[in-house]
Amino acid sequence: MPKLNENYQNLKESYLFSEIAHRVAGYTAAHPDKEIIRLGIGDVTLPLGSLAIQGLHNGVDAMASSDTFKGYGPEQGYDFLRNAISAYYEENGIYVDAEDIFISDGAKSDTGNISELFDTDNVILIPDPVYPVYVDSNLMGGKQITYLAGNADNQFLPMPDKNIHADIIYLCSPNNPTGAVYNRSQLKEWVDYALANEAVILFDSAYEAFITDPKLPRSIYAIEGAKRCAIEFCSLSKTAGFTGTRCGYTVVPRELVFTASDGREMSLHAMWNRRQSTKFNGTSYIVQKGAAAVFSPEGMRQCRENIRYYQENAKMIARTLNHKKIPFFGGIHSPYIWFECPQGMESWDFFDYLLKNAQIVGTPGAGFGENGTRYFRLTAFGTHENTAKAMERFDKLF
Ligand code: MLT
């Protein structure tokens, strides 16, 4: 009989968005006449920009001819895409060497898989609430987690406690689910703390493209010293609408070298390369061509236009919450709006209430951690029409 990875027993029965899909499917089956509006999972609704589409077509055409056909690609991704990403960082005043960039199929896989590089005997800090992949992937590996409490008092931006030692620190800014964004001095505090502890920050910047205030850092590498203590994950899912197309990138600076227990030096860059080249055969050439087109000036202009569209939705949701006198977080530098459930409801109860009374699907805060138990998340990634209709319905509730 195989001995199973019993750490799976420590997980919730299903992944958050699977549980939501399951409940919505149950409701739809019982009420086939009701029109449901989905503002739950952060999935985009606008089609890809024409430049991305052209890039994808170019990739497909290359596959049709023997002189341009591509088989397995370079293990870290094609140079044309890694150079384009490096140039994108530079536009924001940040230098990231293309050599340090690994192309992937999205930030979800990489933020989940990265925990393989670390032993079980580490102090791992994970904010609560936060994107559930960090917690679940560590639990699957039998790791202990120390939670960093995010709450209204700290504006959902937990800061380091200098009296506690940490080895690994997960940060997500703009934060999923709360939309809170660390400013420069707060991130500097985290970088200084990580350097003092010889810790590694795993920084998820999947929502950086939603930041509109140029004073707010869009990358951990905007902070001096971060290349000696941080890995950054980013994705085209929310920047360019690639949730279904799948492309992301992870920066593992070669400066990240630590001493192993036998005294030898181990490089996280070399380890990630070893891990990826063993278990991953890369993002398809076609998708990488589409992704490279996103980083062209016109491609980026198209992305910004789509992001502005979603930001209008966020404003619509914010207006309704203001009208209902419900305080909220996020929605400015983020596609997510995070608010306390009305009338003291718990988040799964409010989920059911909203589905039953307004046919709106949102995301219960409990799915992002204990501190989300009385909070709720709505996404701005719907269409204008559906968001407006959902807000009309919401306005009439309680
Ligand atoms: C979310 O809704 O939290 C995200 O869409 C999930 C993801 O990016 O995997």
Side-chain angles (χ1 to χ4, degrees), residues 75-102:
E75 43 192 40
Q76 284 187 216
Y78 283 94
D79 282 350
F80 62 77
L81 179 54
R82 295 196 297 148
N83 290 331
I85 293 167
S86 174
Y88 175 65
Y89 272 106
E90 214 161 333
E91 279 162 33
N92 291 309
I94 295 160
Y95 178 71
V96 167
D97 196 320
E99 271 302 302
D100 290 343
I101 298 172
F102 293 74

PDB file of all heavy atoms in Angstrom, residues 75-102:
ATOM      1  N   GLU A  75      15.265  26.920 -21.819  1.00  0.00           N
ATOM      2  CA  GLU A  75      14.633  26.531 -20.546  1.00  0.00           C
ATOM      3  C   GLU A  75      14.062  27.704 -19.727  1.00  0.00           C
ATOM      4  O   GLU A  75      13.057  27.539 -19.038  1.00  0.00           O
ATOM      5  CB  GLU A  75      15.554  25.647 -19.694  1.00  0.00           C
ATOM      6  CG  GLU A  75      16.978  26.066 -19.627  1.00  0.00           C
ATOM      7  CD  GLU A  75      17.899  25.019 -19.013  1.00  0.00           C
ATOM      8  OE1 GLU A  75      17.744  23.804 -19.287  1.00  0.00           O
ATOM      9  OE2 GLU A  75      18.778  25.444 -18.262  1.00  0.00           O
ATOM     10  N   GLN A  76      14.662  28.889 -19.815  1.00  0.00           N
ATOM     11  CA  GLN A  76      14.111  30.007 -19.035  1.00  0.00           C
ATOM     12  C   GLN A  76      13.129  30.852 -19.851  1.00  0.00           C
ATOM     13  O   GLN A  76      12.593  31.830 -19.347  1.00  0.00           O
ATOM     14  CB  GLN A  76      15.236  30.908 -18.519  1.00  0.00           C
ATOM     15  CG  GLN A  76      15.967  30.287 -17.339  1.00  0.00           C
ATOM     16  CD  GLN A  76      16.979  31.225 -16.700  1.00  0.00           C
ATOM     17  OE1 GLN A  76      18.023  30.747 -16.277  1.00  0.00           O
ATOM     18  NE2 GLN A  76      16.720  32.520 -16.616  1.00  0.00           N
ATOM     19  N   GLY A  77      12.917  30.480 -21.114  1.00  0.00           N
ATOM     20  CA  GLY A  77      12.029  31.263 -21.981  1.00  0.00           C
ATOM     21  C   GLY A  77      12.844  31.920 -23.090  1.00  0.00           C
ATOM     22  O   GLY A  77      14.072  32.005 -23.007  1.00  0.00           O
ATOM     23  N   TYR A  78      12.155  32.366 -24.134  1.00  0.00           N
ATOM     24  CA  TYR A  78      12.845  32.986 -25.269  1.00  0.00           C
ATOM     25  C   TYR A  78      13.432  34.341 -24.882  1.00  0.00           C
ATOM     26  O   TYR A  78      12.803  35.108 -24.135  1.00  0.00           O
ATOM     27  CB  TYR A  78      11.883  33.151 -26.456  1.00  0.00           C
ATOM     28  CG  TYR A  78      11.654  31.831 -27.165  1.00  0.00           C
ATOM     29  CD1 TYR A  78      10.568  31.031 -26.830  1.00  0.00           C
ATOM     30  CD2 TYR A  78      12.550  31.380 -28.133  1.00  0.00           C
ATOM     31  CE1 TYR A  78      10.365  29.804 -27.453  1.00  0.00           C
ATOM     32  CE2 TYR A  78      12.362  30.155 -28.764  1.00  0.00           C
ATOM     33  CZ  TYR A  78      11.274  29.376 -28.418  1.00  0.00           C
ATOM     34  OH  TYR A  78      11.093  28.166 -29.023  1.00  0.00           O
ATOM     35  N   ASP A  79      14.608  34.637 -25.446  1.00  0.00           N
ATOM     36  CA  ASP A  79      15.270  35.925 -25.163  1.00  0.00           C
ATOM     37  C   ASP A  79      14.386  37.103 -25.536  1.00  0.00           C
ATOM     38  O   ASP A  79      14.370  38.114 -24.845  1.00  0.00           O
ATOM     39  CB  ASP A  79      16.582  36.041 -25.960  1.00  0.00           C
ATOM     40  CG  ASP A  79      17.690  35.228 -25.309  1.00  0.00           C
ATOM     41  OD1 ASP A  79      17.473  34.754 -24.170  1.00  0.00           O
ATOM     42  OD2 ASP A  79      18.756  35.064 -25.942  1.00  0.00           O
ATOM     43  N   PHE A  80      13.632  36.961 -26.664  1.00  0.00           N
ATOM     44  CA  PHE A  80      12.841  38.122 -27.096  1.00  0.00           C
ATOM     45  C   PHE A  80      11.826  38.530 -26.021  1.00  0.00           C
ATOM     46  O   PHE A  80      11.552  39.710 -25.842  1.00  0.00           O
ATOM     47  CB  PHE A  80      12.161  37.868 -28.460  1.00  0.00           C
ATOM     48  CG  PHE A  80      11.165  36.731 -28.500  1.00  0.00           C
ATOM     49  CD1 PHE A  80       9.893  36.873 -27.969  1.00  0.00           C
ATOM     50  CD2 PHE A  80      11.503  35.510 -29.088  1.00  0.00           C
ATOM     51  CE1 PHE A  80       8.974  35.826 -28.014  1.00  0.00           C
ATOM     52  CE2 PHE A  80      10.593  34.457 -29.134  1.00  0.00           C
ATOM     53  CZ  PHE A  80       9.318  34.614 -28.587  1.00  0.00           C
ATOM     54  N   LEU A  81      11.310  37.551 -25.271  1.00  0.00           N
ATOM     55  CA  LEU A  81      10.341  37.885 -24.222  1.00  0.00           C
ATOM     56  C   LEU A  81      11.043  38.346 -22.946  1.00  0.00           C
ATOM     57  O   LEU A  81      10.659  39.337 -22.318  1.00  0.00           O
ATOM     58  CB  LEU A  81       9.418  36.689 -23.939  1.00  0.00           C
ATOM     59  CG  LEU A  81       8.374  36.910 -22.834  1.00  0.00           C
ATOM     60  CD1 LEU A  81       7.527  38.163 -23.103  1.00  0.00           C
ATOM     61  CD2 LEU A  81       7.464  35.698 -22.676  1.00  0.00           C
ATOM     62  N   ARG A  82      12.131  37.664 -22.591  1.00  0.00           N
ATOM     63  CA  ARG A  82      12.836  38.060 -21.357  1.00  0.00           C
ATOM     64  C   ARG A  82      13.420  39.465 -21.496  1.00  0.00           C
ATOM     65  O   ARG A  82      13.397  40.265 -20.557  1.00  0.00           O
ATOM     66  CB  ARG A  82      13.896  37.028 -21.010  1.00  0.00           C
ATOM     67  CG  ARG A  82      13.228  35.679 -20.675  1.00  0.00           C
ATOM     68  CD  ARG A  82      14.146  34.737 -19.971  1.00  0.00           C
ATOM     69  NE  ARG A  82      15.277  34.356 -20.777  1.00  0.00           N
ATOM     70  CZ  ARG A  82      16.483  34.075 -20.290  1.00  0.00           C
ATOM     71  NH1 ARG A  82      16.709  34.160 -19.004  1.00  0.00           N
ATOM     72  NH2 ARG A  82      17.455  33.714 -21.087  1.00  0.00           N
ATOM     73  N   ASN A  83      13.913  39.798 -22.702  1.00  0.00           N
ATOM     74  CA  ASN A  83      14.427  41.157 -22.921  1.00  0.00           C
ATOM     75  C   ASN A  83      13.299  42.186 -22.864  1.00  0.00           C
ATOM     76  O   ASN A  83      13.466  43.285 -22.346  1.00  0.00           O
ATOM     77  CB  ASN A  83      15.152  41.257 -24.272  1.00  0.00           C
ATOM     78  CG  ASN A  83      16.476  40.490 -24.244  1.00  0.00           C
ATOM     79  OD1 ASN A  83      17.094  40.355 -23.180  1.00  0.00           O
ATOM     80  ND2 ASN A  83      16.904  39.967 -25.379  1.00  0.00           N
ATOM     81  N   ALA A  84      12.120  41.801 -23.395  1.00  0.00           N
ATOM     82  CA  ALA A  84      10.981  42.727 -23.381  1.00  0.00           C
ATOM     83  C   ALA A  84      10.533  42.990 -21.936  1.00  0.00           C
ATOM     84  O   ALA A  84      10.182  44.123 -21.573  1.00  0.00           O
ATOM     85  CB  ALA A  84       9.828  42.154 -24.204  1.00  0.00           C
ATOM     86  N   ILE A  85      10.576  41.953 -21.105  1.00  0.00           N
ATOM     87  CA  ILE A  85      10.176  42.127 -19.699  1.00  0.00           C
ATOM     88  C   ILE A  85      11.206  42.988 -18.961  1.00  0.00           C
ATOM     89  O   ILE A  85      10.862  43.885 -18.176  1.00  0.00           O
ATOM     90  CB  ILE A  85       9.990  40.751 -19.016  1.00  0.00           C
ATOM     91  CG1 ILE A  85       8.779  40.041 -19.636  1.00  0.00           C
ATOM     92  CG2 ILE A  85       9.821  40.902 -17.507  1.00  0.00           C
ATOM     93  CD1 ILE A  85       8.650  38.571 -19.283  1.00  0.00           C
ATOM     94  N   SER A  86      12.469  42.746 -19.263  1.00  0.00           N
ATOM     95  CA  SER A  86      13.525  43.547 -18.638  1.00  0.00           C
ATOM     96  C   SER A  86      13.345  45.030 -19.014  1.00  0.00           C
ATOM     97  O   SER A  86      13.471  45.926 -18.163  1.00  0.00           O
ATOM     98  CB  SER A  86      14.880  43.000 -19.100  1.00  0.00           C
ATOM     99  OG  SER A  86      15.904  43.800 -18.660  1.00  0.00           O
ATOM    100  N   ALA A  87      12.993  45.272 -20.283  1.00  0.00           N
ATOM    101  CA  ALA A  87      12.771  46.660 -20.737  1.00  0.00           C
ATOM    102  C   ALA A  87      11.541  47.265 -20.056  1.00  0.00           C
ATOM    103  O   ALA A  87      11.520  48.462 -19.733  1.00  0.00           O
ATOM    104  CB  ALA A  87      12.608  46.695 -22.253  1.00  0.00           C
ATOM    105  N   TYR A  88      10.536  46.442 -19.798  1.00  0.00           N
ATOM    106  CA  TYR A  88       9.319  46.914 -19.103  1.00  0.00           C
ATOM    107  C   TYR A  88       9.676  47.375 -17.681  1.00  0.00           C
ATOM    108  O   TYR A  88       9.218  48.422 -17.219  1.00  0.00           O
ATOM    109  CB  TYR A  88       8.303  45.773 -19.087  1.00  0.00           C
ATOM    110  CG  TYR A  88       7.031  46.020 -18.323  1.00  0.00           C
ATOM    111  CD1 TYR A  88       6.119  46.999 -18.724  1.00  0.00           C
ATOM    112  CD2 TYR A  88       6.710  45.257 -17.193  1.00  0.00           C
ATOM    113  CE1 TYR A  88       4.938  47.210 -18.023  1.00  0.00           C
ATOM    114  CE2 TYR A  88       5.539  45.461 -16.489  1.00  0.00           C
ATOM    115  CZ  TYR A  88       4.652  46.431 -16.902  1.00  0.00           C
ATOM    116  OH  TYR A  88       3.482  46.639 -16.204  1.00  0.00           O
ATOM    117  N   TYR A  89      10.529  46.595 -17.007  1.00  0.00           N
ATOM    118  CA  TYR A  89      10.988  47.022 -15.680  1.00  0.00           C
ATOM    119  C   TYR A  89      11.708  48.363 -15.786  1.00  0.00           C
ATOM    120  O   TYR A  89      11.527  49.261 -14.977  1.00  0.00           O
ATOM    121  CB  TYR A  89      11.958  45.986 -15.087  1.00  0.00           C
ATOM    122  CG  TYR A  89      11.277  44.877 -14.298  1.00  0.00           C
ATOM    123  CD1 TYR A  89      11.164  43.597 -14.815  1.00  0.00           C
ATOM    124  CD2 TYR A  89      10.783  45.110 -13.021  1.00  0.00           C
ATOM    125  CE1 TYR A  89      10.558  42.577 -14.091  1.00  0.00           C
ATOM    126  CE2 TYR A  89      10.183  44.100 -12.283  1.00  0.00           C
ATOM    127  CZ  TYR A  89      10.070  42.835 -12.823  1.00  0.00           C
ATOM    128  OH  TYR A  89       9.468  41.841 -12.092  1.00  0.00           O
ATOM    129  N   GLU A  90      12.546  48.469 -16.815  1.00  0.00           N
ATOM    130  CA  GLU A  90      13.356  49.679 -16.962  1.00  0.00           C
ATOM    131  C   GLU A  90      12.485  50.923 -17.152  1.00  0.00           C
ATOM    132  O   GLU A  90      12.814  51.998 -16.656  1.00  0.00           O
ATOM    133  CB  GLU A  90      14.315  49.510 -18.140  1.00  0.00           C
ATOM    134  CG  GLU A  90      15.624  50.211 -17.876  1.00  0.00           C
ATOM    135  CD  GLU A  90      16.746  49.701 -18.764  1.00  0.00           C
ATOM    136  OE1 GLU A  90      16.696  48.526 -19.194  1.00  0.00           O
ATOM    137  OE2 GLU A  90      17.656  50.502 -19.030  1.00  0.00           O
ATOM    138  N   GLU A  91      11.367  50.751 -17.870  1.00  0.00           N
ATOM    139  CA  GLU A  91      10.447  51.889 -18.042  1.00  0.00           C
ATOM    140  C   GLU A  91       9.970  52.408 -16.696  1.00  0.00           C
ATOM    141  O   GLU A  91       9.614  53.567 -16.553  1.00  0.00           O
ATOM    142  CB  GLU A  91       9.208  51.463 -18.843  1.00  0.00           C
ATOM    143  CG  GLU A  91       9.430  51.426 -20.339  1.00  0.00           C
ATOM    144  CD  GLU A  91       8.351  50.602 -21.006  1.00  0.00           C
ATOM    145  OE1 GLU A  91       7.197  50.596 -20.535  1.00  0.00           O
ATOM    146  OE2 GLU A  91       8.695  49.929 -22.011  1.00  0.00           O
ATOM    147  N   ASN A  92       9.920  51.516 -15.702  1.00  0.00           N
ATOM    148  CA  ASN A  92       9.516  51.940 -14.363  1.00  0.00           C
ATOM    149  C   ASN A  92      10.734  52.244 -13.480  1.00  0.00           C
ATOM    150  O   ASN A  92      10.635  52.250 -12.252  1.00  0.00           O
ATOM    151  CB  ASN A  92       8.645  50.857 -13.717  1.00  0.00           C
ATOM    152  CG  ASN A  92       7.304  50.755 -14.417  1.00  0.00           C
ATOM    153  OD1 ASN A  92       6.620  51.749 -14.609  1.00  0.00           O
ATOM    154  ND2 ASN A  92       6.941  49.554 -14.843  1.00  0.00           N
ATOM    155  N   GLY A  93      11.877  52.427 -14.131  1.00  0.00           N
ATOM    156  CA  GLY A  93      13.079  52.843 -13.409  1.00  0.00           C
ATOM    157  C   GLY A  93      13.747  51.729 -12.625  1.00  0.00           C
ATOM    158  O   GLY A  93      14.496  51.986 -11.677  1.00  0.00           O
ATOM    159  N   ILE A  94      13.483  50.464 -12.993  1.00  0.00           N
ATOM    160  CA  ILE A  94      14.039  49.343 -12.226  1.00  0.00           C
ATOM    161  C   ILE A  94      14.898  48.503 -13.154  1.00  0.00           C
ATOM    162  O   ILE A  94      14.478  48.175 -14.279  1.00  0.00           O
ATOM    163  CB  ILE A  94      12.896  48.491 -11.642  1.00  0.00           C
ATOM    164  CG1 ILE A  94      12.105  49.320 -10.628  1.00  0.00           C
ATOM    165  CG2 ILE A  94      13.408  47.215 -10.998  1.00  0.00           C
ATOM    166  CD1 ILE A  94      10.728  48.800 -10.359  1.00  0.00           C
ATOM    167  N   TYR A  95      16.093  48.123 -12.697  1.00  0.00           N
ATOM    168  CA  TYR A  95      16.936  47.280 -13.540  1.00  0.00           C
ATOM    169  C   TYR A  95      16.791  45.813 -13.119  1.00  0.00           C
ATOM    170  O   TYR A  95      17.121  45.440 -11.996  1.00  0.00           O
ATOM    171  CB  TYR A  95      18.410  47.727 -13.463  1.00  0.00           C
ATOM    172  CG  TYR A  95      19.266  46.820 -14.298  1.00  0.00           C
ATOM    173  CD1 TYR A  95      19.191  46.863 -15.699  1.00  0.00           C
ATOM    174  CD2 TYR A  95      20.092  45.868 -13.702  1.00  0.00           C
ATOM    175  CE1 TYR A  95      19.924  45.989 -16.479  1.00  0.00           C
ATOM    176  CE2 TYR A  95      20.833  44.991 -14.481  1.00  0.00           C
ATOM    177  CZ  TYR A  95      20.744  45.058 -15.865  1.00  0.00           C
ATOM    178  OH  TYR A  95      21.457  44.176 -16.641  1.00  0.00           O
ATOM    179  N   VAL A  96      16.267  45.012 -14.030  1.00  0.00           N
ATOM    180  CA  VAL A  96      16.209  43.558 -13.805  1.00  0.00           C
ATOM    181  C   VAL A  96      16.875  42.902 -15.002  1.00  0.00           C
ATOM    182  O   VAL A  96      16.456  43.100 -16.154  1.00  0.00           O
ATOM    183  CB  VAL A  96      14.750  43.065 -13.647  1.00  0.00           C
ATOM    184  CG1 VAL A  96      14.678  41.548 -13.734  1.00  0.00           C
ATOM    185  CG2 VAL A  96      14.160  43.529 -12.322  1.00  0.00           C
ATOM    186  N   ASP A  97      17.937  42.141 -14.747  1.00  0.00           N
ATOM    187  CA  ASP A  97      18.676  41.490 -15.822  1.00  0.00           C
ATOM    188  C   ASP A  97      17.804  40.384 -16.441  1.00  0.00           C
ATOM    189  O   ASP A  97      17.230  39.569 -15.697  1.00  0.00           O
ATOM    190  CB  ASP A  97      19.945  40.881 -15.220  1.00  0.00           C
ATOM    191  CG  ASP A  97      20.960  40.526 -16.296  1.00  0.00           C
ATOM    192  OD1 ASP A  97      20.536  40.027 -17.369  1.00  0.00           O
ATOM    193  OD2 ASP A  97      22.159  40.740 -16.062  1.00  0.00           O
ATOM    194  N   ALA A  98      17.739  40.367 -17.773  1.00  0.00           N
ATOM    195  CA  ALA A  98      16.942  39.333 -18.460  1.00  0.00           C
ATOM    196  C   ALA A  98      17.381  37.928 -18.052  1.00  0.00           C
ATOM    197  O   ALA A  98      16.573  36.995 -18.017  1.00  0.00           O
ATOM    198  CB  ALA A  98      17.053  39.526 -19.977  1.00  0.00           C
ATOM    199  N   GLU A  99      18.663  37.777 -17.696  1.00  0.00           N
ATOM    200  CA  GLU A  99      19.200  36.466 -17.265  1.00  0.00           C
ATOM    201  C   GLU A  99      18.495  35.941 -16.011  1.00  0.00           C
ATOM    202  O   GLU A  99      18.487  34.732 -15.751  1.00  0.00           O
ATOM    203  CB  GLU A  99      20.683  36.619 -16.926  1.00  0.00           C
ATOM    204  CG  GLU A  99      21.620  36.418 -18.092  1.00  0.00           C
ATOM    205  CD  GLU A  99      21.454  35.041 -18.715  1.00  0.00           C
ATOM    206  OE1 GLU A  99      21.628  34.049 -17.995  1.00  0.00           O
ATOM    207  OE2 GLU A  99      21.118  34.965 -19.911  1.00  0.00           O
ATOM    208  N   ASP A 100      17.951  36.859 -15.210  1.00  0.00           N
ATOM    209  CA  ASP A 100      17.320  36.459 -13.943  1.00  0.00           C
ATOM    210  C   ASP A 100      15.834  36.133 -14.110  1.00  0.00           C
ATOM    211  O   ASP A 100      15.157  35.794 -13.137  1.00  0.00           O
ATOM    212  CB  ASP A 100      17.477  37.581 -12.897  1.00  0.00           C
ATOM    213  CG  ASP A 100      18.919  37.721 -12.430  1.00  0.00           C
ATOM    214  OD1 ASP A 100      19.705  36.785 -12.651  1.00  0.00           O
ATOM    215  OD2 ASP A 100      19.261  38.771 -11.861  1.00  0.00           O
ATOM    216  N   ILE A 101      15.318  36.281 -15.343  1.00  0.00           N
ATOM    217  CA  ILE A 101      13.874  36.104 -15.568  1.00  0.00           C
ATOM    218  C   ILE A 101      13.583  34.689 -16.079  1.00  0.00           C
ATOM    219  O   ILE A 101      14.256  34.202 -16.992  1.00  0.00           O
ATOM    220  CB  ILE A 101      13.369  37.158 -16.587  1.00  0.00           C
ATOM    221  CG1 ILE A 101      13.574  38.572 -16.014  1.00  0.00           C
ATOM    222  CG2 ILE A 101      11.905  36.921 -16.949  1.00  0.00           C
ATOM    223  CD1 ILE A 101      13.302  39.700 -16.990  1.00  0.00           C
ATOM    224  N   PHE A 102      12.579  34.069 -15.494  1.00  0.00           N
ATOM    225  CA  PHE A 102      12.113  32.741 -15.922  1.00  0.00           C
ATOM    226  C   PHE A 102      10.669  32.897 -16.405  1.00  0.00           C
ATOM    227  O   PHE A 102       9.807  33.345 -15.645  1.00  0.00           O
ATOM    228  CB  PHE A 102      12.104  31.752 -14.751  1.00  0.00           C
ATOM    229  CG  PHE A 102      13.470  31.387 -14.214  1.00  0.00           C
ATOM    230  CD1 PHE A 102      14.189  32.284 -13.437  1.00  0.00           C
ATOM    231  CD2 PHE A 102      14.012  30.130 -14.473  1.00  0.00           C
ATOM    232  CE1 PHE A 102      15.436  31.943 -12.922  1.00  0.00           C
ATOM    233  CE2 PHE A 102      15.257  29.782 -13.962  1.00  0.00           C
ATOM    234  CZ  PHE A 102      15.974  30.686 -13.187  1.00  0.00           C
TER     235      PHE A 102
END
